[in-house]
Each structure stands twice: as C-alpha cells, then as structure tokens.
Amino acid sequence: MKKIVFYLLILTISGCIETFEPTIDLDTTAIVITGIITDLNPAQVEIARPVMGHIKEGNMKRVSGATVLLFDDQGNQEQLTEIKNGYYQGILKGVVGREYHINVHLPNNDIINSSPQLLKPCPSIDSLFLEQISYLKADGAITQLHINGLSLNLYMNRDDALSRYFKWKVGGTYSRYTAFDINRQEPPCYITLPADFNFTVGESMSSNADLLWKKLKLIKPDGTYAFGHSVEVEQYSLTKEAYNYWKKIEDQQSNVGSVFDPPPAQITGNLSYVDDQNIPAIGFFEVSGVKKKRIFINSTFFLVFPEKPNQFSTRDLDARCFPPFGWAGPFISPHWCDDCLLIENSTKIKPSYWPE
Amino acid sequence: MSIIKRLSVLTLFFFLVVLQGVKSQSKYDYEFKNVSLDSAIHLIEVDNKIRVYYLPEWVDNQKINNHYSSNNLKDLLDNMLYNVGLSCIIYSSNTYILIKQLNDGQVIEEHTSTGEVIKKITVGDSKVDVKEATISGRVFDVENKLPLPGATIYSKELKKGAATDIDGYYEMILPTGEHALIINSLGYHQENYNIILQSSGTIDVSLLSSRNTLDEVIIKGLKMDNGDSEGQMSKDVLKIESLEYVPTLMGEKDVVKSMNLLPGVVSGEGSNGYSVRGGGYGQNLIFLENTPLYNSSHLFGLFSVFNSGVVDNLTIFKGTMPAKYGGRVSSVMDINLKDGKNENWAGEAAIGLISSRIAFDGPITKKLSIVSGGRMSYFNRYLNRIENNDIKNSQGSFYDANAKLFYAVSDKSTLSINGFTSYDDFTLPEGERITYSNQLASAKWVQEFSDNVHGDFDLTYSNYYSTIDSEDSLQQRYVKNSISTFSAKGHLSLLKLENHQINLGFESNLIQVDPGRVFLSNPFETSLTQIPKESGVESALYISDEYKLSDKITINLGLRYSYFALLGPGKEYIYEPNMPRRSSTLIDSLTYSEGEIIQSYGGLEPRFFFKYKINNSLDVKFNLGRSRQYLHLMSNSASISPLNIWKLSSSHLKPQVADQMAIGIFKKIDKKNIEMSYEFFYRHINDLPDFKNGAVLFNNSNIENQLVSGSGEAYGHELQLSKKTGKLSGWLSYTFSRSFNTMNSEIDEEKINNGNKYPSNYDIPHSISLTGDYMLTRLWSLSFNWLYNSGRPITYPESYYYHDGTLVAYYSSRNEYRIPDYHRLDLSLNLKGSSLKINKKWNTTMSFSVYNVYGRKNAYSVFFQRSGYQIVGKKLSIVAQPIPSITLTVKLR
C-alpha cells in the first residue's frame, strides 16, 4: 500500500514525505524488564531503561543493583545473581507444570512484579523440511532479480494439549574459512549465530489435529550456506499472555511502513508496579518449555547457488576483507580476515551434530 | 396559473378610471344603522369628495349596520365591504374602485399616490369567513423551475415568516386580510407580494436569479436555515451555486469537499470521508437522491464523485436528525440532483486539469425532462509522458455518470428515475491494480393527494465494491469486497392540520455485505477463501409533528422505531465466557439456514426539537434525540482507504446507540444582512466499537475478535458569523470540538489505555474557516478560503528497548500525540461572465485559482517506516505546494 502513497504523490506532483518527530518527554524513570525461565535453562533477567533514539543493544543503559527474586507456586524462592551489569541469572531450571513469577526490587525502592505464568510442556518437533521456491525481486524500477530460495517448514507433534501458543526461534551454526586463506589450507571455523533475530509465533486451533504445520522462514542463498549451515530451530511453548506479547512484536516488525497499516499500538507485558498498577512496566518475564531440532543445509540444496552468494546477502562474508574493485586508496581489513577464529562465537572444533 | 399570467387579469379593472382629489390625513368615523350599502358609499363619496366606482348590482339589497372607523378611507371602505365580498383599491388620490369576488390567485395592481404599483394577489375563497388562514406553496427558480430550498417568506408588518423546505415548500398561518410579503432567496432577486388572504390557499412564487445581473456576489453564506420556520438546527444547506467561486483543488468544484468550510465538518485532502462533530467516517450516512452511497470519493479521496453540473443542493444534519432519518449516529447528508424541469435546454461544460465534465438538462416532451452528466479523467496522459518506469507503468482513470428522468404523470404526481455510477481504476507501479465502484439506481414517485397531503415513495438500489489484484511470480492475489442495499421507502407530509405539520413514513433496507473473497496462488498453495457473507434487514417506522404552539414557540416531536435482523445463512460463534474472543477460545458455533434470524435488535429513537422566538431576529433552539446504527465501518488504518469493509451488527457487535443534544442561538441583523449563530452540542454513544491494539481487519474472517466495545462522547461549540450580501460577503466559523472514547472491560486484552478515557481518532479541538468573496468590479471578484484544524491524534513510538535481540518500539498510549495542525489558504480570481445582460444565451465564467497559496505541507497522514533496525515517523503531505489552476465553465441557458 506504500505504492498508493507514491501514486498520489505522482498525481499531484507536489506531495512530499518528511520525517516527523514530535517533541517527546522521555520518562527517564521507566524500566524495561525482560527475562525467561525454561525447562532447559535457569532464569535470566535483564533490567534496562528504554531509550528515545535507536541505539545498539550493547549501548542500552542497564540497571544494576536490583534484587530479583524468582518464585514458584510450590513456595520455592530463588534470588538471582547479577552476573554482569544489569544481567541477573538463577541456578535452578524450570519445572514443567509449575507457575513462576519474579519480584524485582529496584535500587530506587520501586517494586515490580510479574504475573504468574505456567510452565507448559513443549511438544517435540516432528520434522523440519525444506521446499524450493523461486521468485522475482525488484531491483530498482526496471530490472528484476530471480531469487531461488528455500522455505524452512516445521511439523510439530502436538501430543500434549496444554499449550496452544508457540514461539520459534531460528539460529544455527555455519562453517567458513579464513578470508585471507585463499587456498583453504586451514580447517574451517564453525560460527554460531544467535537465534534472537529470527522469531515467529503461532497459535493452534483448539479443535485441530495433533500435528501443526508452520512455515518458519525463507532462506536465501547467502554465503553462510556455501560450506554448510546447521540451522537450529528452538520451539517454545507460550502462555496466552506471552503469545499476545510476542504476536504484537511480530506484527510491529511486519506492519511498519504504510499509511494503510493498522495504527501501531502499545505492547504491554505481564509486569506491573506493586504500588501503582497504572504505571506501565515494560517487558515480559516468560515461562516456557523448549524443544530444539536441527537441519543441515549446504549450497547443493539450492536450485541455483551463485558463485558469489554474498551479492544477495547483507551477511557479507568476505567482501569487507578486500578493497572494492578499482579502489586505489588506503584500505584496512577487519582483524578477523586473517583468522576466522576471531569472529564472535567461532570455534575450529567441529560440532558433534555436523555431518561427515 | 403562473404569477405572470395572473397579471394579465389586471386589465379587467381599468375601465373605471376617473381622476379626482381625496381628503386624506383625516379621521373617518361613520355609524350606519340599517342603511343600504349604495347609500353609505354615496355618503362617503360626498363627505370626502371622492369617486367610488362599482357595478350597482354588486351592492343591490346589501345593507350595513355597524360602526366603522379608520384613519384612512381605504381601510374604512374595506371594512364596510368585506362581509359582502368586496374590497377596494385606490386608483388615484380621489378615485376608488371596488372589486368583487376576487378569485383565488387573482392578481390586481394598485397605484399608490407616489406612483408605485403594488401587485395584490388574492388567496382563498372570499365566502369563507375565518379569522386566520394558512398560506402555502412553493418557491421556484423562474428560469429552470427548480424548487428553491431555504427561501424565506416574511411579513414585516406581522414580524412573521417561514422558510421553504428541501422541495421548495413553505407554509405559514396569517390573519385574514391584506399583508405585504417579502420573498427572498440567496442568489435571487427579492420579490414583494401583497396578498389579500381570504381563506387558506396557495401561492407559488418564482424568483429571478440575481447572478445574471452580477449586482450581488454569489457566496452569501451557506447557513440557509435562518431559523424562521422550524425547530430544526444543526443543519446546513449547501447550494451548488453558492460554490460557484469557492477556490478548489485543481478547479474541481466539489460539493462534498466544500463541506470543510462548514462549522463542525472536517475532511482533509486524500481522505475518503469526513468527520462531523468528532464522529467517525463510518458514522455518516450519504444519500444521493434518497439512495445510500458508500464511497463518495474519486482518486483515494482527492475529489468527490459528484458532478457539480447535476447537483442542485446538499443538506447535512450534523446532530439530532429529523425522524425521517436514521441508521447513523453522527450525520446524514442528503444530496439532491436537479430535476430538469426547464422550459428550455440548459447545459454546462468545464475543462479542468485532470478531468473534464459535462452536464445538461431540459425537456424531452412537455411532461418528460432529463438531467444528465458525466465526468472523465485523463491523467494517464501525464503518467505516460513522464520518463520514469515506475510512473510509466502506472495507469489510472476514473469516471462518473448520472442520468435522471423526470416525468410529470399528472398535475398531482411525478415520477423520477435516477441512475448513477462511479468507477476508479488504478494500476500501481509494481502491477497492483485497485478498482472501486458505486452503482446506484432509484425510482421516486411523488404524489400530491390533496393540498394538504403530499407523499414520496422510493425504491432504491446501491452497490459498492472494491478489488485489489496483485500478481508477481511469487504469488497472485485477488481480493474483492462489496456491500449492497435494496431499499423501499414511503413518506407522507400532512401540511395543514391547524398548527400542526405531520410527517410519517417507513423504510426497509436489505443490506448484503461481502466482506472479502480472496484468491491466492503461490508456490505453497492455491486457494479461494470466501469470508462468510452477511445479510440483514434494517427497517424503521417514524412519525413527527411540528406544532406551532404560538407565534413564539414551535415544537417538533418525532418518534422513530428501528429494527434490525441479521439473517442467515451464517454462523454464530460462541466463545469461552469471560475470555477474550479469539480462535483459541472458540468453543462452539451455531449454524443458521437462509433467512433465519441470527440476531435481532431494535428500539425507539425519540427526536425532539424546540424553538423559542425571542423576537423577529433572535431565536433560541434546542434539540434532543437518539439514533441507532446497525452497520459499522471497519477501518483502523491511519487513513481511510477505498477498501472499506462494512460489518453488520451481530451477537458480538451490538448496534451503536447515540444520544445527542444541542442548544443554539440564532441572530439576524436584517439591515446588514448578517447572521450569527451559536450552537453547543453533546453526544454520547454506547456500544461504540473500537479496535484492539494491533488489530488486523483486512481479510479477517473473524473480524469481531479484533473489536472491543465501549462508549464515546463528543461535545463542543460552533460559532458562525455570515454576511450574505454586499461587496464583501462570506462567513467565519469557529468550532471547538472534543471527542473521546472509553474502552473498559473485565478482560485486560479488551481494555484500551487501561480502561481510561482517550481522544478518538477524530478529536480535533479547534477548527476555523474563513471564506468569502470580494467584488472588485461588477465582473471580477476575488474569493478566498482559509482553513485551520488542530492536528488529529496519533499513537507515537515514545521509546525503544531490546527483547531477546529484537528492537521493540514502545508506543505511547493510544492517541496520546498529535500530527501537526492543518491550515491552508486558497485564492481565486473570478471573471463572472462577459456582459451584464440578463437574458443572454451563454454564460461563461472563468476562475484562476491557487490552492494552498503559501504551500503549507499539511500532514495527510503520519506513518512509521522501518529503516534497518530503526523506526522512523514519516509525515505524508499530498498537496505540499501551491497548486494553480484555471477553470473555464460554459453554461447554456
């Protein structure tokens, strides 16, 4: 629908789009609390302040010195330890069937509670499978690029009806060689990508069959698949409140960009101030069961895998290591071009799940 | 018999002319006891040295027995003669002529001592002896015979008046005897009529347009309800003539867009609707010739679909509406086309920058006339010439066409048949094609059962659809949704029942909604999904009585009963109690077969209007009423799009019920032709639907799951000052209007802003419009508009945070922020014809106008774009520069 806007602009040949930023008084006392406990991992909680602009995650202002207590419905209690500035972690894993909530005592004596959430068992992932798809992508106004990709799909064994709501995160580990090791004499590195940036949520109908099908992601042939990529899918069972929360975030990611979109809306979680329920506390403390499954993909899986796959990819593997064609000036390569181990989350130890 | 023809009978009275002096400025006092009338008249002749002419047989055997006294001889003689069916006219200072048995409608001329000739028209039967009588009739345009709504008939002496309704009818009660009446209508020459009212009767008046003589400006204030005749308020009448020189975008004269100039109505560029007194777009009902119209816009809202060449007038009720109307809680707009009852053919053509239009009307036979018009765009030419592939790949066109046949079946009955279609078709640069179209057809029978009883009967059909067709190699998607309505209506007006005017009638509408049919084909699937269609019947009975309690007090009591039934085939879904409605809380569904009632609603809608006339120039009015809305517009996008989805009330979507009131003061300063009005209004709506945060409405088969229900309230003031005539004319209006919703529920998910009151999307506190026309010479004028509206509310991302690596925008509470204020100046220099002749065959007008003179970049919408990990607020301005245009209009008379 963005195109309608463009169209109207053409017709009047006088329209314009400008950045609009009203004056905002940011509530500097506002708090964001995000955290999770699963049946695979103990509780993790992060406390920060929201920011006005758009900054990198690492630059968020964390809140240190808070007391974070985890409670379950059996009367058990655990105090989380601040493992680094604003990050708090527990020891005990979650137990399926118990309800958990946290109580956060901030340095300024404000107290924030999360509403209790039930840890629902997560059904196993029956299978992950791939489908070939191809489509044309506009490249500017005139040319179109033919893209071949894979659709990553999931079948779930919904053998337990306790949860109807799910979240999936897609991460993985890929293999690559050191950029300057042109002859590939060194063994490759295995680099693990965080699953955080790729998530999707789903809701199953109450009366459906026990198998849920879900299209998770469109995989484009980028450089991370050149020498093999073990894609890992994490499946989380969600409570209804957590589903609503993540669904709104998912909508926010996909809807932004058109005057015909639904107007964006505030995303509220399960946190509230003990003293004043009307003050919003931002974020969510999740309680989930988790299952994981992997699928291995390499360049042969794609119908067409270009010689320089990174031309389609923002995850530009080697291009940053060499000066652009025709470049005459000084050029400094990133430090990892000389050793792939210097890339974050990299190892030369072949993971056990890596195929021979 | 027309007034002009009646004038010819004057010659009957000219054969008795004798010139003599008369005694004047005296007190005349006579007492007659059983004296023959002949002798009495003779006595007066001798005493006062005058001659009185009459036929002897008129007074044979007539005797009088009474005391008569007067300050002038004419009145004395009139009093003496009234009971014998005679009256007297002064031919010269000492010559009096008696006239006998004036027939209803007879016109005579009286010569005053100053040489002035006064026309006198007899109304009613002289044999009927009553003290008061009702005079009624219609006011027409002398040239095209079209009725003139809002014309005033006023007796200066009695300080009493009436105004014509939408069909040009008026009615007023006066004492029997002679009265001087002044008949006025905006844009027409004033007529002075002297009537001899003997008993109830009719007078039709034809007025000559003053535009021909260019001695007055045309924009004379649109608030035509001058408060003389009825308790109705919160109403505006726009005549197309009044917009003749109002500056417009690209010279497209636009009756709907010009409503922006009225107090309480807000509509921006590129907006498919308008908000009335803080109400939503879907809370307005538009009738074109009594037929509902679901989208009044071309080109995504830049222009309206009405060809100004065929539109006669527009009436909008902005608050409590007459009992005749219902079905929406905010406003009703009634657009009437010309009926072509001309003696000659007339037409007009206008050439504009992006479209041209033509309209003509005239008689086919003596009884049959036609009005027809069409408009077509041609901006594809521009698109094809622009050296840009995106633009070259775009296509676009729109058209509309009207045809109305008017057939005078007899003197007492007429039949009119109307057809209308509009169509918009756009292909966007990447191949997405959007079309939308209205089709309307209607037949109207008007019957005059007697002088007192008029009836209107309508059969109408309206259909609106929109489609999107998008195709690329990945997928093809075709979506269509539509709404259609069949209606039957009957309306009776009982005009003369003492001081009562009673209106009653019925209507029944069969509404069919197709919320969406989606054809999807892609590598994963090929599917055709039909979101279940809905149909319902909305019917109503109504009666109202306007009762003139006294000269000062008029009340109008109305009662409407409306009933709605949602009909099968269909399903009613049952959800877990006390849980939010969603697919996962669905526990059961009930299936209904065709015609079965799934859900029904109904209720009374009382309407009350009151007018108190403090004096001849000052009225106080009050109204109070309830209305119900069973059909809801589902749109929560930042701006309304042509792809509107309507939804009928169901078990999970109750009808909106609005209670509203208004109180106003209306002041006229006759000498300066200035009118002032002030209205305070308040509206409360129950069961108002709003959308859950982040609701998705398009192609949603369970749209009711996306809704929450609550209440809305709107209140404010409207102030208008208008100057109707003179070198400078126009008006200034200011509206203060607030509009809030409250969505509270036991279920957290169904609360908005934590259940607290928040501004609605149409909360526009301040609105000012200044519009006018200044006569530079007798041929040239300068018109201007200046508009100001407060920015409307939006929800804005106040801050950001990361959750699990995902950047999340934390938006403000709903509608906490506002887009920038809107203001705009338009100017237009108008050449009003090439000569001052009244009876010329052609009339050419030309306007040079500049829209948005100072190039204000007004926000059409604010939306948010994701740029990498950033979310950026963007302000879209549709008309961000001054837009000049030239419009040439040629009218054939």
Side-chain angles (χ1 to χ4, degrees), chain B residues 613-641:
Chain B
K613 188 173 188 167
I614 295 171
N615 59 43
N616 189 45
S617 63
L618 187 62
D619 291 338
V620 176
K621 292 183 181 185
F622 171 77
N623 69 40
L624 185 66
R626 166 170 286 194
S627 47
R628 293 168 195 271
Q629 179 166 343
Y630 303 100
L631 180 64
H632 316 268
L633 179 63
M634 300 286 111
S635 173
N636 68 342
S637 59
S639 60
I640 203 164
S641 80

Side-chain angles (χ1 to χ4, degrees), chain B residues 256 286-290 306 311 313-314 333-337:
Chain B
V256 174
I286 302 176
F287 282 123
L288 177 65
E289 288 282 308
N290 255 352
F306 305 109
V311 173
N313 64 61
L314 171 159
M333 190 207 292
D334 202 350
I335 296 164
N336 289 294
L337 303 182

Side-chain angles (χ1 to χ4, degrees), chain B residues 518-534:
Chain B
V518 184
F519 172 74
L520 188 67
S521 173
N522 62 32
F524 300 113
E525 60 180 315
T526 296
S527 64
L528 178 64
T529 312
Q530 172 67 61
I531 297 171
K533 294 180 184 177
E534 293 183 332

Side-chain angles (χ1 to χ4, degrees), chain A residues 72-144:
Chain A
D72 70 10
D73 57 354
Q74 309 287 309
N76 300 312
Q77 176 182 336
E78 181 193 14
Q79 181 169 348
L80 276 58
T81 309
E82 186 170 5
I83 53 166
K84 60 176 179 176
N85 182 26
Y87 288 95
Y88 302 81
Q89 190 168 307
I91 299 167
L92 304 171
K93 290 180 185 174
V95 177
V96 168
R98 290 189 185 173
E99 280 190 348
Y100 292 90
H101 76 274
I102 54 168
N103 172 287
V104 178
H105 199 121
L106 295 166
N108 66 357
N109 290 327
D110 281 344
I111 302 170
I112 294 173
N113 268 341
S114 71
S115 64
Q117 308 278 304
L118 178 67
L119 201 159
K120 297 179 177 182
C122 184
S124 61
I125 299 170
D126 181 83
S127 60
L128 296 171
F129 66 100
L130 301 165
E131 271 186 306
Q132 295 287 347
I133 59 167
S134 73
Y135 63 96
L136 289 173
K137 184 187 173 200
D139 178 27
I142 305 165
T143 58
Q144 290 184 315

